[in-house]
């Protein structure tokens, strides 16, 4: 499973990139807004750091404007893909961008039916929002698994990004069901590294070594 970071914060991206495990970056308008910079600047900064897919989200609501915005954003760097919200207009714009060779990440996907339509329209990625489904009493990861089955049945090239990841268990569950990618917030990536038994083990090994190192 490829690991993307779900953030627009350059320091967080730098840190996780330094671990050697980062394959890409996803942003959304809320994450960009937190940084207080314009989208182009943020995307340029990310592209200098990470050699992998970078999602930049269009904010227009009609297909023609989404297409124009998508073309503009994709011109920033060859690694940029365009996040479009799942909607009729989003599907139309996905097809138009696909025809121009621009990758689309169809976002705000909450059902297998939406994912099927996104794949049919030529989306390169679909992003089911696992945590937000859990929030309303569904099992978000079941939707990821069902989408994967459907794509597998018909050999779609569209890849599934498990998004709206809220805790480390979501990450291992995404990997268990075979999600191609998980996009993970910085805080959860850090939590994934830690285990109290690891810390305890390191401490015990070092304490034992101290006892004998000068023998
Ligand atoms: O970037 C989209 C998605 O990952 C948002 O997550 O936690 O705001 O539901 P969340």
């Amino acid at each position: 499973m490829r690991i993307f970071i779900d953030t627009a914060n350059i320091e967080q991206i730098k840190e996780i990139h330094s671990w050697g495990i980062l394959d890409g970056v996803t942003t959304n308008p809320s994450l960009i807004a937190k940084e207080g910079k314009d989208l182009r600047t943020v995307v340029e900064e990310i592209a200098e750091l990470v050699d992998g897919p970078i999602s930049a989200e269009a904010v227009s609501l009609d297909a023609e404007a989404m297409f124009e915005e998508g073309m503009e954003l994709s011109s920033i760097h060859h690694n940029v893909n365009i996040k479009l919200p799942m909607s009729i207009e989003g599907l139309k714009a996905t097809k138009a961008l696909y025809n121009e060779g621009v990758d689309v990440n169809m976002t705000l996907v909450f059902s297998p039916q939406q994912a099927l339509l996104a794949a049919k329209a030529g989306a390169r990625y679909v992003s089911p929002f696992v945590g937000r489904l859990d929030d309303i009493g569904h099992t978000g990861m079941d939707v990821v698994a069902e989408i994967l089955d459907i794509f597998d049945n018909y050999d779609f090239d569209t890849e599934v990004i498990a998004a709206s990841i809220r805790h480390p268990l979501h990450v291992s569950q995404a990997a268990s069901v075979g999600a191609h990618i998980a996009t993970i917030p910085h805080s959860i990536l850090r939590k994934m590294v830690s285990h109290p038994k690891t810390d305890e083990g390191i401490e015990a090994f070092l304490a034992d070594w101290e006892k004998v190192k000068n023998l």
Side-chain angles (χ1 to χ4, degrees):
M1 185 173 71
R2 302 209 294 294
I3 289 183
F4 291 2
I5 187 168
D6 197 24
T7 187
N9 181 282
I10 297 297
E11 290 313 310
Q12 292 182 354
I13 296 168
K14 261 189 204 160
E15 183 196 338
I16 305 303
H17 180 57
S18 77
W19 296 359
I21 54 97
L22 190 63
D23 299 301
V25 180
T26 54
T27 68
N28 63 38
S30 307
L31 294 170
I32 297 285
K34 272 200 223 165
E35 300 309 309
K37 298 181 204 167
D38 68 283
L39 178 55
R40 173 172 278 270
T41 306
V42 174
V43 171
E44 282 170 354
E45 287 176 5
I46 298 172
E48 266 179 42
L49 278 176
V50 180
D51 185 19
I54 301 163
S55 289
E57 189 155 342
V59 289
S60 306
L61 290 178
D62 69 276
E64 208 171 308
M66 282 178 184
F67 173 77
E68 293 304 331
E69 221 185 311
M71 291 303 290
E72 171 68 23
L73 289 169
S74 72
S75 72
I76 299 175
H77 194 274
H78 62 88
N79 279 340
V80 172
N81 60 72
I82 309 306
K83 249 186 174 182
L84 294 179
M86 177 65 210
S87 59
I88 291 170
E89 295 302 301
L91 288 171
K92 292 180 194 168
T94 297
K95 187 54 143 195
L97 288 166
Y98 171 82
N99 288 339
E100 295 297 324
V102 174
D103 286 346
V104 169
N105 172 2
M106 185 135 273
T107 189
L108 289 163
V109 166
F110 292 91
S111 73
Q113 298 85 345
Q114 291 178 323
L116 176 61
L117 292 174
K120 295 278 296 177
R124 174 83 181 80
Y125 309 100
V126 291
S127 292
F129 276 28
V130 175
R132 292 193 197 185
L133 276 164
D134 290 0
D135 287 345
I136 56 163
H138 293 261
T139 305
M141 208 55 74
D142 287 351
V143 173
V144 173
E146 206 178 329
I147 294 170
L148 286 162
D149 278 347
I150 291 169
F151 288 2
D152 196 40
N153 286 344
Y154 299 102
D155 287 333
F156 281 116
D157 291 332
T158 308
E159 293 190 289
V160 178
I161 305 180
S164 185
I165 294 287
R166 298 282 175 73
H167 46 69
L169 191 56
H170 273 156
V171 180
S172 48
Q173 288 169 337
S176 292
V177 299
H180 303 99
I181 299 155
T183 189
I184 310 170
H186 174 263
S187 59
I188 293 165
L189 285 159
R190 287 193 65 91
K191 281 185 191 164
M192 285 167 63
V193 179
S194 304
H195 196 288
K197 295 301 285 180
T198 306
D199 298 342
E200 187 186 298
I202 291 173
E203 215 173 294
F205 286 150
L206 289 179
D208 289 341
W209 186 246
E210 279 299 313
K211 290 177 211 154
V212 296
K213 71 174 184 190
N214 293 323
L215 292 182

